Amino acid sequence: MESIQELLAQKATLEKRIAEAQRSAKADAIAKVKALMAEYGLTAADLAGKTPVAAKAEGAKKVAPKYRDPASGQSWTGRGLKPKWLQAALASGKSLDDFAI
């Protein structure tokens, strides 16, 4: 039967051989990947899965106003809630057509 010291020495030797084998296998894998990348013209970005995104339109297009208050010059596009100046004017009896541009 072997002593503990001999077994620990064998363990250390095996761990070194395992680490060397792993480094060698890793180096071989990297070399293969680099060769394939060169063969197919791939980049690191291709491997990361990032695809080029089409450029977004520069800002959202503004909607032209459809209604304007002649007294204050404020305008409203006709979208969303009615502004307070328009609500007050409509409450006083004016028509929405009175403010159309």
Side-chain angles (χ1 to χ4, degrees):
M1 184 167 190
E2 299 179 78
S3 70
I4 294 177
Q5 296 298 331
E6 291 172 339
L7 291 173
L8 289 173
Q10 288 177 359
K11 178 183 174 189
T13 303
L14 284 174
E15 287 176 347
K16 287 180 184 177
R17 289 177 56 193
I18 290 170
E20 289 174 17
Q22 287 175 331
R23 278 192 294 271
S24 176
K26 187 176 180 180
D28 290 343
I30 290 171
K32 288 178 185 177
V33 169
K34 285 182 178 181
L36 287 171
M37 288 176 68
E39 181 180 343
Y40 292 100
L42 299 173
T43 65
D46 294 329
L47 297 178
K50 295 182 181 182
T51 57
V53 179
K56 293 182 179 180
E58 293 184 24
K61 291 185 180 180
K62 291 197 172 193
V63 178
K66 293 182 182 178
Y67 306 98
R68 185 174 315 273
D69 181 14
S72 67
Q74 294 178 330
S75 62
W76 179 52
T77 62
R79 295 184 178 182
L81 296 175
K82 291 178 183 141
K84 291 184 180 184
W85 62 264
L86 185 58
Q87 289 176 358
L90 293 175
S92 70
K94 294 197 174 190
S95 167
L96 191 61
D97 292 333
D98 296 337
F99 301 98
I101 297 177

PDB file of all heavy atoms in Angstrom, residues 9 12 15 21 24 26-27 30 35 39 41 46 49 52-53 56-57 65 70 73 75-77 81 90 93 95 98 100:
ATOM      1  N   ALA A   9       1.710  13.264  -3.933  1.00  0.00           N
ATOM      2  CA  ALA A   9       2.637  13.599  -5.008  1.00  0.00           C
ATOM      3  C   ALA A   9       2.047  13.196  -6.359  1.00  0.00           C
ATOM      4  O   ALA A   9       2.145  13.936  -7.348  1.00  0.00           O
ATOM      5  CB  ALA A   9       3.980  12.922  -4.778  1.00  0.00           C
ATOM      6  N   ALA A  12      -0.669  15.710  -7.223  1.00  0.00           N
ATOM      7  CA  ALA A  12      -0.109  16.965  -7.726  1.00  0.00           C
ATOM      8  C   ALA A  12       0.371  16.803  -9.159  1.00  0.00           C
ATOM      9  O   ALA A  12       0.140  17.679 -10.011  1.00  0.00           O
ATOM     10  CB  ALA A  12       1.031  17.426  -6.828  1.00  0.00           C
ATOM     11  N   GLU A  15      -2.707  16.680 -11.408  1.00  0.00           N
ATOM     12  CA  GLU A  15      -3.330  18.000 -11.556  1.00  0.00           C
ATOM     13  C   GLU A  15      -2.548  18.868 -12.524  1.00  0.00           C
ATOM     14  O   GLU A  15      -3.136  19.603 -13.322  1.00  0.00           O
ATOM     15  CB  GLU A  15      -3.459  18.673 -10.184  1.00  0.00           C
ATOM     16  CG  GLU A  15      -4.559  18.047  -9.330  1.00  0.00           C
ATOM     17  CD  GLU A  15      -4.634  18.632  -7.930  1.00  0.00           C
ATOM     18  OE1 GLU A  15      -3.707  19.341  -7.500  1.00  0.00           O
ATOM     19  OE2 GLU A  15      -5.649  18.365  -7.257  1.00  0.00           O
ATOM     20  N   ALA A  21      -3.065  19.718 -20.189  1.00  0.00           N
ATOM     21  CA  ALA A  21      -3.951  19.182 -21.222  1.00  0.00           C
ATOM     22  C   ALA A  21      -5.083  20.171 -21.521  1.00  0.00           C
ATOM     23  O   ALA A  21      -5.472  20.359 -22.684  1.00  0.00           O
ATOM     24  CB  ALA A  21      -4.513  17.836 -20.783  1.00  0.00           C
ATOM     25  N   SER A  24      -3.670  23.064 -23.533  1.00  0.00           N
ATOM     26  CA  SER A  24      -3.412  22.618 -24.905  1.00  0.00           C
ATOM     27  C   SER A  24      -4.719  22.516 -25.694  1.00  0.00           C
ATOM     28  O   SER A  24      -4.802  22.961 -26.844  1.00  0.00           O
ATOM     29  CB  SER A  24      -2.695  21.277 -24.877  1.00  0.00           C
ATOM     30  OG  SER A  24      -2.523  20.783 -26.176  1.00  0.00           O
ATOM     31  N   LYS A  26      -7.505  24.063 -25.085  1.00  0.00           N
ATOM     32  CA  LYS A  26      -8.042  25.408 -25.275  1.00  0.00           C
ATOM     33  C   LYS A  26      -7.315  26.123 -26.408  1.00  0.00           C
ATOM     34  O   LYS A  26      -7.952  26.769 -27.250  1.00  0.00           O
ATOM     35  CB  LYS A  26      -7.900  26.197 -23.972  1.00  0.00           C
ATOM     36  CG  LYS A  26      -8.558  27.540 -23.982  1.00  0.00           C
ATOM     37  CD  LYS A  26      -8.440  28.194 -22.602  1.00  0.00           C
ATOM     38  CE  LYS A  26      -9.097  29.544 -22.568  1.00  0.00           C
ATOM     39  NZ  LYS A  26      -8.992  30.179 -21.243  1.00  0.00           N
ATOM     40  N   ALA A  27      -5.993  25.984 -26.446  1.00  0.00           N
ATOM     41  CA  ALA A  27      -5.217  26.618 -27.517  1.00  0.00           C
ATOM     42  C   ALA A  27      -5.604  26.044 -28.876  1.00  0.00           C
ATOM     43  O   ALA A  27      -5.723  26.777 -29.864  1.00  0.00           O
ATOM     44  CB  ALA A  27      -3.729  26.441 -27.261  1.00  0.00           C
ATOM     45  N   ILE A  30      -9.014  27.485 -29.845  1.00  0.00           N
ATOM     46  CA  ILE A  30      -8.893  28.881 -30.275  1.00  0.00           C
ATOM     47  C   ILE A  30      -8.317  28.950 -31.677  1.00  0.00           C
ATOM     48  O   ILE A  30      -8.788  29.737 -32.514  1.00  0.00           O
ATOM     49  CB  ILE A  30      -8.042  29.681 -29.269  1.00  0.00           C
ATOM     50  CG1 ILE A  30      -8.824  29.864 -27.957  1.00  0.00           C
ATOM     51  CG2 ILE A  30      -7.641  31.042 -29.835  1.00  0.00           C
ATOM     52  CD1 ILE A  30      -8.014  30.456 -26.829  1.00  0.00           C
ATOM     53  N   ALA A  35      -9.185  30.073 -37.359  1.00  0.00           N
ATOM     54  CA  ALA A  35      -9.092  29.631 -38.750  1.00  0.00           C
ATOM     55  C   ALA A  35     -10.463  29.701 -39.428  1.00  0.00           C
ATOM     56  O   ALA A  35     -10.581  30.163 -40.572  1.00  0.00           O
ATOM     57  CB  ALA A  35      -8.535  28.214 -38.816  1.00  0.00           C
ATOM     58  N   GLU A  39     -11.602  32.043 -42.516  1.00  0.00           N
ATOM     59  CA  GLU A  39     -12.131  31.391 -43.727  1.00  0.00           C
ATOM     60  C   GLU A  39     -13.466  31.994 -44.150  1.00  0.00           C
ATOM     61  O   GLU A  39     -13.728  32.196 -45.328  1.00  0.00           O
ATOM     62  CB  GLU A  39     -12.295  29.899 -43.454  1.00  0.00           C
ATOM     63  CG  GLU A  39     -12.808  29.110 -44.651  1.00  0.00           C
ATOM     64  CD  GLU A  39     -12.954  27.626 -44.345  1.00  0.00           C
ATOM     65  OE1 GLU A  39     -12.376  27.139 -43.362  1.00  0.00           O
ATOM     66  OE2 GLU A  39     -13.659  26.955 -45.124  1.00  0.00           O
ATOM     67  N   GLY A  41     -14.702  35.002 -42.948  1.00  0.00           N
ATOM     68  CA  GLY A  41     -14.732  36.454 -42.812  1.00  0.00           C
ATOM     69  C   GLY A  41     -15.577  36.929 -41.644  1.00  0.00           C
ATOM     70  O   GLY A  41     -16.240  37.967 -41.741  1.00  0.00           O
ATOM     71  N   ASP A  46     -19.872  39.253 -34.930  1.00  0.00           N
ATOM     72  CA  ASP A  46     -20.703  38.198 -35.513  1.00  0.00           C
ATOM     73  C   ASP A  46     -20.913  37.073 -34.509  1.00  0.00           C
ATOM     74  O   ASP A  46     -22.004  36.506 -34.416  1.00  0.00           O
ATOM     75  CB  ASP A  46     -20.055  37.639 -36.779  1.00  0.00           C
ATOM     76  CG  ASP A  46     -19.974  38.656 -37.903  1.00  0.00           C
ATOM     77  OD1 ASP A  46     -20.848  39.533 -37.980  1.00  0.00           O
ATOM     78  OD2 ASP A  46     -19.025  38.561 -38.706  1.00  0.00           O
ATOM     79  N   GLY A  49     -23.473  37.665 -31.703  1.00  0.00           N
ATOM     80  CA  GLY A  49     -24.876  37.621 -32.084  1.00  0.00           C
ATOM     81  C   GLY A  49     -25.483  38.985 -32.293  1.00  0.00           C
ATOM     82  O   GLY A  49     -26.683  39.119 -32.393  1.00  0.00           O
ATOM     83  N   PRO A  52     -26.524  44.085 -37.206  1.00  0.00           N
ATOM     84  CA  PRO A  52     -26.665  45.518 -37.464  1.00  0.00           C
ATOM     85  C   PRO A  52     -28.135  45.920 -37.462  1.00  0.00           C
ATOM     86  O   PRO A  52     -28.978  45.217 -37.993  1.00  0.00           O
ATOM     87  CB  PRO A  52     -26.050  45.713 -38.845  1.00  0.00           C
ATOM     88  CG  PRO A  52     -25.558  44.397 -39.300  1.00  0.00           C
ATOM     89  CD  PRO A  52     -25.907  43.370 -38.272  1.00  0.00           C
ATOM     90  N   VAL A  53     -28.424  47.027 -36.845  1.00  0.00           N
ATOM     91  CA  VAL A  53     -29.790  47.525 -36.742  1.00  0.00           C
ATOM     92  C   VAL A  53     -29.956  48.674 -37.721  1.00  0.00           C
ATOM     93  O   VAL A  53     -29.078  49.523 -37.849  1.00  0.00           O
ATOM     94  CB  VAL A  53     -30.082  48.008 -35.301  1.00  0.00           C
ATOM     95  CG1 VAL A  53     -31.489  48.542 -35.179  1.00  0.00           C
ATOM     96  CG2 VAL A  53     -29.850  46.871 -34.320  1.00  0.00           C
ATOM     97  N   LYS A  56     -32.685  54.389 -37.146  1.00  0.00           N
ATOM     98  CA  LYS A  56     -34.036  54.864 -36.846  1.00  0.00           C
ATOM     99  C   LYS A  56     -34.238  56.223 -37.484  1.00  0.00           C
ATOM    100  O   LYS A  56     -33.295  56.972 -37.709  1.00  0.00           O
ATOM    101  CB  LYS A  56     -34.230  54.981 -35.333  1.00  0.00           C
ATOM    102  CG  LYS A  56     -34.217  53.647 -34.631  1.00  0.00           C
ATOM    103  CD  LYS A  56     -34.470  53.827 -33.157  1.00  0.00           C
ATOM    104  CE  LYS A  56     -34.471  52.480 -32.463  1.00  0.00           C
ATOM    105  NZ  LYS A  56     -34.708  52.615 -31.031  1.00  0.00           N
ATOM    106  N   ALA A  57     -35.471  56.505 -37.764  1.00  0.00           N
ATOM    107  CA  ALA A  57     -35.800  57.811 -38.330  1.00  0.00           C
ATOM    108  C   ALA A  57     -35.422  58.875 -37.313  1.00  0.00           C
ATOM    109  O   ALA A  57     -35.567  58.692 -36.114  1.00  0.00           O
ATOM    110  CB  ALA A  57     -37.285  57.888 -38.653  1.00  0.00           C
ATOM    111  N   PRO A  65     -50.344  71.698 -36.694  1.00  0.00           N
ATOM    112  CA  PRO A  65     -51.524  72.106 -35.930  1.00  0.00           C
ATOM    113  C   PRO A  65     -52.733  72.295 -36.848  1.00  0.00           C
ATOM    114  O   PRO A  65     -52.603  72.709 -38.000  1.00  0.00           O
ATOM    115  CB  PRO A  65     -51.107  73.423 -35.280  1.00  0.00           C
ATOM    116  CG  PRO A  65     -49.917  73.896 -36.029  1.00  0.00           C
ATOM    117  CD  PRO A  65     -49.292  72.703 -36.659  1.00  0.00           C
ATOM    118  N   PRO A  70     -56.751  82.732 -32.265  1.00  0.00           N
ATOM    119  CA  PRO A  70     -56.279  83.985 -32.856  1.00  0.00           C
ATOM    120  C   PRO A  70     -55.837  85.010 -31.807  1.00  0.00           C
ATOM    121  O   PRO A  70     -54.966  85.834 -32.082  1.00  0.00           O
ATOM    122  CB  PRO A  70     -57.475  84.499 -33.655  1.00  0.00           C
ATOM    123  CG  PRO A  70     -58.636  83.690 -33.262  1.00  0.00           C
ATOM    124  CD  PRO A  70     -58.148  82.467 -32.562  1.00  0.00           C
ATOM    125  N   GLY A  73     -52.465  83.000 -30.112  1.00  0.00           N
ATOM    126  CA  GLY A  73     -51.549  82.362 -31.054  1.00  0.00           C
ATOM    127  C   GLY A  73     -51.243  80.911 -30.709  1.00  0.00           C
ATOM    128  O   GLY A  73     -50.466  80.261 -31.400  1.00  0.00           O
ATOM    129  N   SER A  75     -51.725  76.901 -30.453  1.00  0.00           N
ATOM    130  CA  SER A  75     -52.294  75.983 -31.445  1.00  0.00           C
ATOM    131  C   SER A  75     -52.497  74.604 -30.831  1.00  0.00           C
ATOM    132  O   SER A  75     -51.975  74.284 -29.764  1.00  0.00           O
ATOM    133  CB  SER A  75     -51.369  75.894 -32.653  1.00  0.00           C
ATOM    134  OG  SER A  75     -50.115  75.377 -32.275  1.00  0.00           O
ATOM    135  N   TRP A  76     -53.275  73.784 -31.554  1.00  0.00           N
ATOM    136  CA  TRP A  76     -53.560  72.413 -31.142  1.00  0.00           C
ATOM    137  C   TRP A  76     -53.608  71.565 -32.388  1.00  0.00           C
ATOM    138  O   TRP A  76     -54.164  71.953 -33.416  1.00  0.00           O
ATOM    139  CB  TRP A  76     -54.885  72.377 -30.380  1.00  0.00           C
ATOM    140  CG  TRP A  76     -55.307  71.013 -29.917  1.00  0.00           C
ATOM    141  CD1 TRP A  76     -54.573  70.125 -29.202  1.00  0.00           C
ATOM    142  CD2 TRP A  76     -56.576  70.394 -30.123  1.00  0.00           C
ATOM    143  NE1 TRP A  76     -55.295  68.995 -28.940  1.00  0.00           N
ATOM    144  CE2 TRP A  76     -56.547  69.133 -29.502  1.00  0.00           C
ATOM    145  CE3 TRP A  76     -57.742  70.780 -30.772  1.00  0.00           C
ATOM    146  CZ2 TRP A  76     -57.620  68.253 -29.515  1.00  0.00           C
ATOM    147  CZ3 TRP A  76     -58.806  69.914 -30.768  1.00  0.00           C
ATOM    148  CH2 TRP A  76     -58.747  68.657 -30.142  1.00  0.00           C
ATOM    149  N   THR A  77     -53.040  70.372 -32.320  1.00  0.00           N
ATOM    150  CA  THR A  77     -52.980  69.487 -33.487  1.00  0.00           C
ATOM    151  C   THR A  77     -54.269  68.728 -33.714  1.00  0.00           C
ATOM    152  O   THR A  77     -54.468  68.141 -34.766  1.00  0.00           O
ATOM    153  CB  THR A  77     -51.852  68.453 -33.312  1.00  0.00           C
ATOM    154  OG1 THR A  77     -52.127  67.651 -32.175  1.00  0.00           O
ATOM    155  CG2 THR A  77     -50.505  69.124 -33.199  1.00  0.00           C
ATOM    156  N   LEU A  81     -55.991  65.489 -25.518  1.00  0.00           N
ATOM    157  CA  LEU A  81     -56.992  66.320 -24.846  1.00  0.00           C
ATOM    158  C   LEU A  81     -57.005  67.729 -25.436  1.00  0.00           C
ATOM    159  O   LEU A  81     -55.978  68.241 -25.859  1.00  0.00           O
ATOM    160  CB  LEU A  81     -56.679  66.399 -23.352  1.00  0.00           C
ATOM    161  CG  LEU A  81     -56.758  65.084 -22.573  1.00  0.00           C
ATOM    162  CD1 LEU A  81     -56.292  65.303 -21.136  1.00  0.00           C
ATOM    163  CD2 LEU A  81     -58.174  64.539 -22.595  1.00  0.00           C
ATOM    164  N   LEU A  90     -64.963  76.814 -26.410  1.00  0.00           N
ATOM    165  CA  LEU A  90     -66.103  75.972 -26.786  1.00  0.00           C
ATOM    166  C   LEU A  90     -67.219  76.094 -25.745  1.00  0.00           C
ATOM    167  O   LEU A  90     -68.400  76.076 -26.099  1.00  0.00           O
ATOM    168  CB  LEU A  90     -65.663  74.508 -26.936  1.00  0.00           C
ATOM    169  CG  LEU A  90     -64.719  74.208 -28.104  1.00  0.00           C
ATOM    170  CD1 LEU A  90     -64.268  72.757 -28.075  1.00  0.00           C
ATOM    171  CD2 LEU A  90     -65.373  74.538 -29.441  1.00  0.00           C
ATOM    172  N   GLY A  93     -69.488  78.989 -26.245  1.00  0.00           N
ATOM    173  CA  GLY A  93     -70.415  78.944 -27.380  1.00  0.00           C
ATOM    174  C   GLY A  93     -69.765  78.972 -28.743  1.00  0.00           C
ATOM    175  O   GLY A  93     -70.466  78.917 -29.746  1.00  0.00           O
ATOM    176  N   SER A  95     -67.516  77.578 -31.964  1.00  0.00           N
ATOM    177  CA  SER A  95     -67.439  76.291 -32.639  1.00  0.00           C
ATOM    178  C   SER A  95     -65.983  75.915 -32.885  1.00  0.00           C
ATOM    179  O   SER A  95     -65.113  76.802 -33.001  1.00  0.00           O
ATOM    180  CB  SER A  95     -68.190  76.382 -33.967  1.00  0.00           C
ATOM    181  OG  SER A  95     -67.883  75.274 -34.778  1.00  0.00           O
ATOM    182  N   ASP A  98     -64.384  77.531 -35.804  1.00  0.00           N
ATOM    183  CA  ASP A  98     -63.923  78.912 -35.676  1.00  0.00           C
ATOM    184  C   ASP A  98     -62.403  78.992 -35.492  1.00  0.00           C
ATOM    185  O   ASP A  98     -61.799  80.012 -35.773  1.00  0.00           O
ATOM    186  CB  ASP A  98     -64.604  79.597 -34.492  1.00  0.00           C
ATOM    187  CG  ASP A  98     -66.110  79.721 -34.670  1.00  0.00           C
ATOM    188  OD1 ASP A  98     -66.568  79.701 -35.840  1.00  0.00           O
ATOM    189  OD2 ASP A  98     -66.815  79.836 -33.645  1.00  0.00           O
ATOM    190  N   ALA A 100     -60.227  76.559 -36.785  1.00  0.00           N
ATOM    191  CA  ALA A 100     -59.527  75.752 -37.784  1.00  0.00           C
ATOM    192  C   ALA A 100     -58.557  76.621 -38.577  1.00  0.00           C
ATOM    193  O   ALA A 100     -58.825  77.787 -38.858  1.00  0.00           O
ATOM    194  CB  ALA A 100     -60.535  75.112 -38.746  1.00  0.00           C
TER     195      ALA A 100
END
